[in-house]
Amino acid sequence: MIVIFGASGKVGRATAAALRSSGQAVRAVVRNAQQGSGLMQLGCEMAIADLLDEASVASAMRGADAVQILCPVPIADAHPANTMHRMIDVTVAALRANPPARVLALSDYGAELESGTGITMLFHALEMQLKPAVQNLTLLRAAEHMQNWARVLPAALSTGILPSLHHPLSKRFPTVAAQDVGRVAAELLLDSGHANALRTVSVEGPQRVSAPDVARTLSELSGREIAAHALPRDAWAPTLLRAGLSAEHAKLITDLYDTHNAGLIDAQVFGERRFGTTQLSEVLASMLPSNATAER
């Protein structure tokens, strides 16, 4: 039995689907029953768990041969770092109590850095706590998800301006489709050749892109002229606050992009690398409203 936490998300669903296609028994862990209908159609066993409750998490892991761990950054939370640290503590305690044969943890590019990375520091904390607790651990560090551009698509389509925190605009950065992360995760969960070892794998898409590449692709897909715009540094926090994030969450994001723009976040030099096959254009097209797609 392979247990997938966060199975209703884009990465978790892709992992579950790939595992089921290969004939594996999968237990999909979700927060509520409404999230499970599509996963049940895949043939997954369902489990509901509260990631802040150790008994709930331990119950979801019971009998697992392998577990895919996800500790998501809480979005609508005034103190997201504190909440995620509690999730990590709960998850690690459950794993220590009844360790499965293999654990794969979803992490981020830059998680090896010990300071200054904002949100990614939370994944650093996850990795640091898992390493002494899990004998056979795979850390799957993903580049920035292509799906993250969904947050600014409505503004870009309505104004013709694609705001970007990537500076300078010409900088090409790694990005990856969430479904490719899930498929790579499934491959790694099925690979039993690294028993009793720590494995670090970085995954990104088929090519690196810049913000103007994203804007150009959106223009081609929508038939509207869209240009990338480097959002001034002093506008980052106010923009994020207007988007509904808490002050602490906004600070985690601004710290991350300061470090990213300094060129300090990338695939780790020492470790395996995998590359997805999904193109940026495929992901952006899937996120556009049907009336925003250019006729071809």
Side-chain angles (χ1 to χ4, degrees), residues 92-279:
V92 172
L95 287 169
R96 284 185 185 277
N98 191 14
R102 301 189 305 283
V103 174
L104 181 143
L106 298 171
S107 188
D108 268 7
Y109 271 30
E112 74 279 5
L113 301 178
E114 297 180 355
S115 63
T117 60
I119 280 178
T120 302
M121 278 302 302
L122 302 177
F123 292 95
H124 175 78
L126 173 65
E127 291 189 5
M128 290 302 100
Q129 286 190 236
L130 283 173
K131 284 178 181 178
V134 177
Q135 191 171 29
N136 185 6
L137 174 64
T138 296
L139 303 174
L140 180 56
R141 295 178 180 159
E144 179 179 314
H145 286 192
M146 296 175 186
Q147 282 84 355
N148 288 354
W149 289 102
R151 302 166 186 166
V152 295
L153 280 188
L157 292 170
S158 63
T159 66
I161 296 174
L162 179 75
S164 175
L165 274 59
H166 287 285
H167 294 187
L169 282 179
S170 58
K171 179 169 73 77
R172 298 177 69 82
F173 52 90
T175 185
V176 66
Q179 58 265 37
D180 283 346
V181 180
R183 285 193 287 265
V184 170
E187 293 171 4
L188 295 171
L189 284 165
L190 293 174
D191 184 358
S192 58
H194 286 255
N196 303 322
L198 173 64
R199 188 178 191 182
T200 303
V201 182
S202 300
V203 58
E204 61 184 80
Q207 61 270 324
R208 297 190 170 196
V209 300
S210 65
D213 292 332
V214 179
R216 187 164 45 252
T217 303
L218 280 174
S219 296
E220 294 169 355
L221 290 169
S222 67
R224 306 176 188 190
E225 192 62 34
I226 297 174
H229 170 68
L231 196 65
R233 176 63 179 79
D234 60 5
W236 290 5
T239 300
L240 293 167
L241 292 173
R242 285 196 300 272
L245 296 184
S246 67
E248 289 186 16
H249 201 154
K251 180 69 163 55
L252 291 173
I253 292 177
T254 57
D255 286 351
L256 170 63
Y257 277 91
D258 279 337
T259 306
H260 209 308
N261 292 337
L264 300 177
I265 292 182
D266 209 324
Q268 193 170 6
V269 175
F270 303 104
E272 300 175 48
R273 295 187 68 185
R274 300 288 181 95
F275 296 89
T277 59
T278 305
Q279 298 289 336

Side-chain angles (χ1 to χ4, degrees), residues 2-20 26-30 35 38-39 42 44-46 67-72 104 106 140 145 147 177-186 189:
I2 300 178
V3 174
I4 307 297
F5 281 84
S8 63
K10 293 180 177 64
V11 174
R13 186 178 295 272
T15 305
L19 291 171
R20 289 295 301 137
V26 173
R27 181 180 300 144
V29 185
V30 295
Q35 295 177 323
L39 293 159
L42 290 175
C44 297
E45 176 185 318
M46 301 306 303
V67 175
Q68 178 168 300
I69 293 297
L70 170 67
C71 288
L104 181 143
L106 298 171
L140 180 56
H145 286 192
Q147 282 84 355
Q179 58 265 37
D180 283 346
V181 180
R183 285 193 287 265
V184 170
L189 284 165

